[in-house]
Amino acid sequence: MKVTVFGTGYVGLVQGAVLADVGHEVVCVDVDAAKVKALKAGRIPIHEPGLAPLVRDNQAAGRLLFTTDAAAGVAHGELLFLAVGTPPDEDGSADLQHVLAVARTIARHMQAPKTIVNKSTVPVGTAEQVAETVRAGLAARGVEIAFEVVSNPEFLKEGAAVADCKRPERIVIGASSAAALHQLRELYAPFNRNHDKIVVMDVKSAELTKYAANAMLATKISFINEIAGLAERLGADIEAVRRGIGSDPRIGYHFIYPGLGYGGSCFPKDVKALIHAARSAGLTPEVLQAVERRNDAQRQVLAQRIAAHYGGNLRGKTIAVWGLAFKPDTDDMREAPSRHLLAALWDAGAQVRAHDPAAMNEARRIFGERPDLTLCATPAGALQGADALAIVTEWKIFRAPDFGQMARLLKDRIVFDGRNLYDPALVARHGLRYYSIGRPSQ
């Protein structure tokens, strides 16, 4: 099938490459000429396992093209995917300016019937807004051309986006016509062979499904973090509690790891947007508001623990930080817990020596050159000259460190673990003071 994808961020680039990999003819359109030039040259702007070879192979095969020519993109695709950003507005609502800008572009250039597939995370009712925008654009041209607007939300996890796209757990399609549904079934047939993963519903329900899914996962994270705080007060071990409740199949083990709160480009934005949607509909979203408050507080836990240990005086102290990305296997630092920690450490007068396996360039872009930040090439390099270590992201490379070396290098022999990576007794045997989340300190 001929497919055009507007937007080459996480969703658009991954979706376009995976569709091309099964034989569809895909054109990706972006307004950023520099990004398009880089993609044509095989340079991938994001860190995502497996994505670079997928893009390069399908470009070489001629199934995946990149362009800034929106008219050519509209002409090419029988299916036009909207995969542009929907950043939070000041009131927490999703900003639809990029989505509606693409809708206007489609209306300006389309010459034949099209099916418009909304892949972006958008509020309920956005498909109607897109349809109204396209109708208005066609009317301004004095033409009538048939089109459909379908909701097909993405459920990709950063760090596993290619695998998720190749082997989706479910394919949600919100469509109002049998013809559009047939097109989407044909498009996704290569991913739907083992058993039927397609979940069909009305458009509004599909739009809400994406927000509800992310809000549910965010709720699990905030819940376990709240229980972790209670475990500390009561002298219990949250890791034992986690295993105890996770063994119940109604709860499961996913998303009940205590830590430093959720971050990234999705959960914070989507929870805010759903809260705004509820309020706009006259409903007070008590649970969602509590989830957001718990998360805001959890982001400060590690900084508060470090400050408390040092009696509030961090001037002259150097803290090693392991992990800057908001999660492993990505270089994304949007809403990352590390940013809150670093800001608090700098405000308190501390120096930071940091390492991340993927996000060093992103950290340089965000923070620039500053005297209180040293970006180190290795985890051990970050420990050199540091008083204490703070673990922020649970990269695999941090899971089995040389504790003897750690004890030798850290002047104060203290580890503040925001991800509960280690056995407290093991750390203590190496002469290190160990603080974690929801467990007694050692």
Side-chain angles (χ1 to χ4, degrees):
M1 301 182 76
K2 295 184 182 296
V3 179
T4 296
V5 180
F6 287 90
T8 58
Y10 262 102
V11 175
L13 186 56
V14 172
Q15 185 70 73
V18 170
L19 288 174
D21 200 50
V22 297
H24 297 304
E25 298 175 23
V26 180
V27 171
C28 291
V29 180
D30 203 289
V31 297
D32 187 337
K35 181 188 281 189
V36 168
K37 182 179 180 181
L39 287 166
K40 285 181 175 180
R43 297 193 300 275
I44 309 303
I46 55 178
H47 177 89
E48 186 63 41
L51 181 59
L54 194 70
V55 170
R56 287 194 289 264
D57 291 349
N58 284 283
Q59 272 192 286
R63 293 187 298 267
L64 180 62
L65 303 176
F66 297 99
T67 183
T68 57
D69 188 342
V74 173
H76 167 82
E78 53 193 295
L79 292 165
L80 307 178
F81 276 74
L82 310 186
V84 294
T86 53
D89 218 332
E90 291 182 3
D91 60 0
S93 62
D95 185 346
L96 297 178
Q97 63 172 317
H98 303 303
V99 171
L100 298 180
V102 175
R104 287 190 290 271
T105 297
I106 292 170
R108 188 160 56 248
H109 296 297
M110 65 186 287
Q111 302 293 335
K114 304 289 181 182
T115 298
I116 301 168
V117 183
N118 204 343
K119 203 75 179 171
S120 301
T121 301
V122 294
V124 174
T126 298
E128 291 178 354
Q129 287 185 255
V130 169
E132 290 169 5
T133 301
V134 173
R135 278 194 292 269
L138 294 175
R141 289 171 52 197
V143 297
E144 289 187 14
I145 304 172
F147 69 92
E148 298 275 357
V149 181
V150 175
S151 176
N152 174 219
E154 55 84 16
F155 298 97
L156 307 181
K157 300 185 294 291
E158 289 190 34
V162 171
D164 287 345
C165 206
K166 285 184 172 183
R167 294 177 290 278
E169 294 172 340
R170 75 281 207 198
I171 302 168
V172 173
I173 301 173
S176 56
S177 80
L181 178 59
H182 177 77
Q183 278 186 298
L184 270 292
R185 282 191 178 277
E186 183 181 349
L187 179 77
Y188 286 122
F191 310 97
N192 200 40
R193 293 173 63 83
N194 181 266
H195 64 278
D196 191 3
K197 303 173 184 176
I198 292 177
V199 182
V200 180
M201 58 188 71
D202 63 275
V203 173
K204 287 186 175 181
S205 295
E207 291 171 331
L208 182 56
T209 295
K210 168 62 178 179
Y211 277 117
N214 278 357
M216 182 70 237
L217 298 176
T219 300
K220 293 185 75 173
I221 293 170
S222 284
F223 173 81
I224 198 65
N225 282 330
E226 184 142 304
I227 298 300
L230 180 60
E232 288 182 9
R233 297 289 185 95
L234 299 178
D237 183 340
I238 191 61
E239 290 301 316
V241 174
R242 177 183 65 79
R243 292 191 296 272
I245 65 174
S247 61
D248 184 333
R250 296 171 300 173
I251 299 172
Y253 293 103
H254 294 301
F255 289 86
I256 59 167
Y257 288 86
L260 302 176
Y262 56 78
S265 63
C266 295
F267 287 8
K269 170 179 70 72
D270 293 351
V271 170
K272 285 183 183 297
L274 200 51
I275 289 172
H276 180 270
R279 289 172 177 164
S280 298
L283 177 70
T284 301
E286 303 284 2
V287 173
L288 295 175
Q289 291 175 158
V291 167
E292 187 175 50
R293 285 196 303 271
R294 175 67 264 161
N295 198 64
D296 289 343
Q298 198 69 22
R299 289 168 166 174
Q300 309 302 323
V301 164
L302 205 59
Q304 291 168 352
R305 196 146 296 173
I306 295 169
H309 176 86
Y310 285 109
N313 183 15
L314 289 173
R315 295 206 174 274
K317 291 295 181 181
T318 298
I319 308 299
V321 173
W322 282 2
L324 296 170
F326 86 94
K327 63 183 287 188
D329 295 318
T330 181
D331 60 353
D332 195 344
M333 289 181 61
R334 286 175 288 184
E335 297 285 344
S338 65
R339 298 179 69 164
H340 298 274
L341 175 63
L342 266 56
L345 292 175
W346 289 330
D347 286 346
Q351 300 277 321
V352 172
R353 295 177 61 82
H355 172 77
D356 188 282
M360 303 291 269
N361 288 335
E362 182 67 1
R364 290 187 185 95
R365 185 191 69 81
I366 292 169
F367 301 123
E369 297 293 330
R370 50 185 301 160
D372 48 8
L373 173 63
T374 302
L375 295 174
C376 304
T378 64
L383 301 179
Q384 295 278 353
D387 296 287
L389 168 64
I391 299 171
V392 182
T393 313
E394 64 276 29
W395 285 92
K396 289 181 181 178
I397 196 174
F398 302 149
R399 292 183 181 178
D402 183 338
F403 288 111
Q405 179 190 57
M406 189 183 291
R408 289 192 301 273
L409 292 177
L410 292 175
K411 296 176 185 176
D412 294 338
R413 299 164 74 92
I414 305 168
V415 177
F416 299 94
D417 185 356
R419 298 297 176 182
N420 288 3
L421 293 187
Y422 310 133
D423 175 358
L426 174 63
V427 180
R429 284 202 299 271
H430 286 85
L432 290 157
R433 183 76 185 272
Y434 184 61
Y435 293 91
S436 56
I437 305 295
R439 299 187 290 183
S441 61
Q442 294 285 327

